[in-house]
Amino acid sequence: MTSMEGAVIRHRTVEVNDISMHVAEAGPEGHSKGTVLFLHGFPELWYTWRHQMENLAARGYHCVAPDLRGYGGTTAPSDVESYTAFHIVGDIVALLNTLGLAKVFVVGHDWGALIAWYVCLFRPDRVTALVNTSLAFIRNIIARNGPGFVKPTDYFNRAYGPDYYMCRFQEPGVAEARQFAPAHARRLLRQIMCHCFSHGVACEEEMHDNKYPTSTLPPWLTEEDVDYFGAEFERTGFTGGINYYRNLDRNCELAAAWADAKVQVPTKYVVGEGEITYHFEGVREYIHGGGFKEDVPLLEEVVVLPGAGHFIQLERAQEVSDHIYDFIIKFSPPT
């Protein structure tokens, strides 16, 4: 067990879906207001949710945050094809079964948000309510949906060029041999968390210190945080996380049966004003113009955090915790 900011974080490893999964937990397991399942993004770990776990555990919730397949203390299969949305959702459902959880609240960020959308499409019976952050329900990167469908990698290549990070990641082994080599983990993670995926900056192949300085960390990121992330990615490398990107096109093909399916789960969406995906072509119009609500009929609220970037669960930790609590408490049993 570890203690973080007053919250006792319990750790265990469970066998699910033919992999070993590291899981962090906080809060009461019995007689709780419900279980909140946190799904992290790239390049992150369970640790990215530590503030929300502390906050919601203190408010009576059982919090569960796994290292997803390929990350941290969880098994990282060697073949790229083992990182499809079906594999990841399968891991999550198996985790719920192993923990004896019939239904949970789901909170996702970045790739965890995309996986959360898939969980709600494939197994809405296991989700009480969803609070998704950063990535909206963008159908064209979720499922093949019609004769005019463009594969995600083709779209990003045409829109942003072959050097765009999602395009650079496609060739197995290339990114890991260069920018994302494990030996570069601490420096790279400082740069990503300080600058990337926010305010118009994606993840450039050359992240020079003079352009993207990291000598002074933002107030929401500590040297201890960087050391935790850095040590884990130095140990594991980044291949597992990058393999999620290598399945973008494959996921759309596999999910074609859900091409016109709607997300039938009560949902709240929270995004930073500077989130890079919020500024993809047509996304803001989709979110605020009715398209989002059409695809997610039980969407109850959209929150845009002024001035915030990509890592809102860190940048605006208390605010995000409050947004989660204010939504899920409506669906929690009285205690």
Side-chain angles (χ1 to χ4, degrees), residues 165 195-204 207 211-212 274 276:
Y165 72 101
H195 299 287
C196 291
F197 313 128
S198 302
H199 308 294
V201 178
C203 182
E204 297 181 12
M207 300 283 289
K211 186 176 181 182
Y212 301 108
I276 194 169

Side-chain angles (χ1 to χ4, degrees), residues 3 33 65 84 113 329:
S3 179
K33 293 179 180 177
T84 70
I329 189 63

Side-chain angles (χ1 to χ4, degrees), residues 185-197:
R186 288 174 194 256
R187 174 177 172 272
L188 179 61
L189 285 161
R190 290 176 77 96
Q191 291 178 320
I192 287 175
M193 302 194 81
C194 289
H195 299 287
C196 291
F197 313 128

Side-chain angles (χ1 to χ4, degrees), residues 41-43 68-71 74-88 110-111 114-115 118 153 165-166 168-176 180 233 236-252 254:
F42 174 86
L68 295 177
R69 174 181 290 239
Y71 286 91
T74 296
T75 302
S78 58
D79 56 312
V80 173
E81 293 80 7
S82 291
Y83 292 83
T84 70
F86 278 84
H87 288 87
I88 314 304
D110 188 77
W111 260 100
L114 182 57
I115 296 301
Y118 278 120
T153 57
Y165 72 101
M166 294 191 198
R168 295 200 317 271
F169 285 175
Q170 294 306 307
E171 186 64 31
V174 173
E176 301 96 305
F180 283 84
F233 282 101
T236 66
F238 293 90
T239 298
I242 294 174
N243 279 341
Y244 285 57
Y245 292 92
R246 293 172 178 148
N247 281 282
L248 274 168
D249 294 347
R250 185 176 289 110
N251 286 341
C252 287
L254 293 173

